[in-house]
Amino acid sequence: MPPLRLLALLAGLLASSRAGPTPVVGIVGGRKARPLEFPFLASLQSQGQHFCGGALIHARFVLTAASCFRNLNPGAASVVLGAYDLRRRERARQAFAVRSVSENRYDPQENLNDLLLLQLEREANLTSNVALLPLPPQNAVVEAGTSCQVAGWGTRRNGGRLSRFPRVVNVTVTPEDRCRPNNLCTGALARRGGICQGDGGTPLVCNGLAHGVASFSPNPCGKGPDFFTRVALFRDWIDSVLNNPGQGPA
């Protein structure tokens, strides 16, 4: 398998991987997702290789992390919907080129506003395998202690191989003093669990809504807290993009 060209967990997570892998099970600490359990998940791929996740929020738009494209032109990426087993050519899959991108003051140095909208070249065909993930209202708050889910095809340990199937882990929103104002942070109670390499851009789902976009983790995979871009701070901006889609190429 060729090495991952892009990791959306940024410098802190990459540096921590040099400490050496620790065998763990899951996305980290999770379980194999059931078919059709997360029909909104998108696999962002470069030359057929998954490198980041995303969520379909509109028939023409996928929500992901801007950090996924720090070193790759979005026009060179493809968006795959309806995938489950990344090692098979599934009939339910729909693949798209990226027509245009929209970001909102992304700051790669501070890992702020790590959010990106990918406009697909055509509308997705909504099926049982391909569905939309609803968004929270502007400025909606997720209380500490809220149980959420995150799923993706990322590695199960630092430096490991991508998962063949999406895996899901239950996580808990941490108190504000363990996070930053523009982020939502999560951890897995009483065990290791969370995002890892290849899970950047994947959604944090709380109460059925996309409250977060996986951005980075300053610690080794599964040791949390994991930092997610707080989607509710961008809802008005997202709606403005969806209602006025760009016409140019990526």
Side-chain angles (χ1 to χ4, degrees):
M1 174 181 295
L4 281 176
R5 298 173 57 191
L6 293 168
L7 305 175
L9 305 181
L10 304 178
L13 179 57
L14 294 177
S16 68
S17 68
R18 290 194 288 268
T22 300
V24 291
V25 178
I27 180 177
V28 173
R31 62 169 174 81
K32 178 180 174 182
R34 298 182 297 272
L36 308 182
E37 188 175 3
F38 299 97
F40 49 78
L41 278 183
S43 170
L44 308 188
Q45 301 186 3
S46 175
Q47 300 180 342
Q49 175 72 36
H50 172 91
F51 64 87
C52 266
L56 187 69
I57 61 169
H58 179 281
R60 286 287 297 272
F61 287 89
V62 165
L63 179 67
T64 187
S67 54
C68 289
F69 293 96
R70 292 184 69 181
N71 300 304
L72 177 70
N73 185 334
S78 61
V79 178
V80 179
L81 302 174
Y84 182 66
D85 183 348
L86 292 184
R87 299 183 192 175
R88 294 183 57 192
R89 294 185 177 181
E90 300 157 310
R91 297 182 62 182
R93 287 193 190 188
Q94 301 175 39
F96 304 83
V98 176
R99 181 175 183 179
S100 66
V101 300
S102 299
E103 67 175 48
N104 191 339
R105 303 188 303 276
Y106 169 53
D107 182 349
Q109 300 302 317
E110 298 294 332
N111 301 336
L112 292 174
N113 308 323
D114 190 8
L115 199 77
L116 194 73
L117 287 172
L118 303 176
Q119 182 181 2
L120 307 179
E121 60 180 327
R122 65 184 189 281
E123 286 194 0
N125 180 27
L126 301 182
T127 67
S128 59
N129 297 88
V130 177
L132 305 181
L133 178 60
L135 302 177
Q138 178 70 24
N139 296 326
V141 175
V142 182
E143 298 293 340
T146 300
S147 179
C148 305
Q149 287 186 315
V150 59
W153 288 275
T155 63
R156 304 185 195 182
R157 58 179 174 82
N158 291 103
R161 297 181 63 185
L162 290 171
S163 177
R164 176 175 179 174
F165 304 96
R167 302 185 70 88
V168 57
V169 63
N170 294 324
V171 294
T172 302
V173 176
T174 64
E176 292 183 0
D177 61 2
R178 295 193 63 198
C179 197
R180 301 190 303 180
N182 291 341
N183 289 103
L184 277 175
C185 294
T186 65
L189 297 178
R191 58 184 172 80
R192 295 186 62 180
I195 57 176
C196 203
Q197 294 150 342
D199 288 322
T202 202
L204 176 71
V205 181
C206 309
N207 301 317
L209 303 176
H211 273 282
V213 169
S215 178
F216 71 99
S217 178
N219 303 295
C221 296
K223 288 193 174 181
D226 294 327
F227 285 70
F228 294 80
T229 303
R230 189 178 159 200
V231 174
L233 297 179
F234 299 88
R235 177 61 192 271
D236 289 346
W237 171 77
I238 291 171
D239 286 345
S240 73
V241 175
L242 301 187
N243 293 329
N244 298 280
Q247 300 299 316

